[in-house]
Amino acid sequence: MKIAVYAISKNEEAFVERFCQSAADADYIIIADTGSTDETVRLARDQGASVYPICIAPWRFDHARNAALALVPSDADICIALDLDEVMMPGWRAEIEKTWTSEATRMRYQFDWSEGVLFQGNKVHKRQGYFWRHPCHEALEIDRRLTETFCVSDMTLITHLPDPTKPRGQYLDLLRLSHAEDPACPRTAFFLAREFTYHSLWDEAVKALEDFLAMPDTWVLERCWAQRLLGKAHHKLGREEEARSWYLRSVGEAPWSREPWADLAAFAYDLKDWEACYFAAKSGLAVKNKSNTYVDRPDLWGYSLYDTAALAAYHLGLHAEAVSLGAQALELAPDEERLANNLEFYKEKAL
């Protein structure tokens, strides 16, 4: 069995050595460089990677990844698509060799996105029959003439170590293009609508989110997220009743996840609706399991919901409850001075 790791790069000198060292057990490390002006290419070659310059203009991620995949030698059996800010975990090759079957065309495994977000990845695939589609948030797809068969591992094979300085300014135009090319794709429709909110384009976001929700075969957690974003958009536009309605709908869509409860609590906090804030925050805390998907918010499994619930409890005159919740918040973030000060304040009021 021959395994190839392939990636695209541009000015990744801070990450390329770590990337190559983590993938050292691969038979091939293929990097398609899209115009680096730093030391990325030299450092990668020093680590034994095969680096090829490519030009993708106008830029789109799927064409770049397809160019990288085309550079993988034809005798490779399995390919692993990575970004330069991702690393393979120790023991990854032995796990693939143990899990892969003769019928398999693709593998599911655990992917550590960072900050406590862990979900199922699927970018390990057979050399033949796969291609990338969509200009942005590109997806790996199989040729329709073939049958896709998954093998599954519970091991965390890949970890993401994100670069917070990477710009995302090009995403909006690429997502507009992606949606124009495939207007019936719910995944692309959702990502475009979400991107509008990142740019505070609230009116465009409202229309795009409503269009997404009208589509068939949408995923429940993305529907819930879209409803929460509609709540946020209407709140930003000063339409509080519409906002409240959407936040409540998001809770009804996925009451078993913390995210809609947290967003409802934050909305109620802004309005100083302390009863709603307290109820929503406590309901979120009653959810004990993550969805283990990319929609999980890491902060909701720290102190934030305890802090929100404590503040609401104080405003409702529930001083003993505020002390209890405030203490739990501080236990989860003992270095947060504000939480310590709040707890002392709650204790004084409880006397």
Side-chain angles (χ1 to χ4, degrees), residues 190-207:
F190 173 72
F191 285 144
L192 174 60
R194 186 184 66 172
E195 197 70 20
F196 285 139
T197 70
Y198 293 160
H199 291 264
S200 300
L201 298 171
W202 303 117
D203 288 315
E204 289 182 83
V206 167
K207 182 180 186 310

Side-chain angles (χ1 to χ4, degrees), residues 265 269 272-282 285 305-328 342 345-346 349-350:
Y269 180 93
K272 296 182 171 53
D273 182 347
W274 302 118
E275 288 186 359
C277 182
Y278 177 74
F279 173 76
K282 289 281 286 185
L285 289 169
L305 274 176
Y306 289 100
D307 180 36
T308 300
L311 288 162
Y314 160 72
H315 283 285
L316 292 170
L318 304 173
H319 298 305
E321 177 75 347
V323 170
S324 174
L325 291 163
Q328 291 175 84
N342 282 1
F345 178 77
Y346 299 148
K349 295 298 180 181

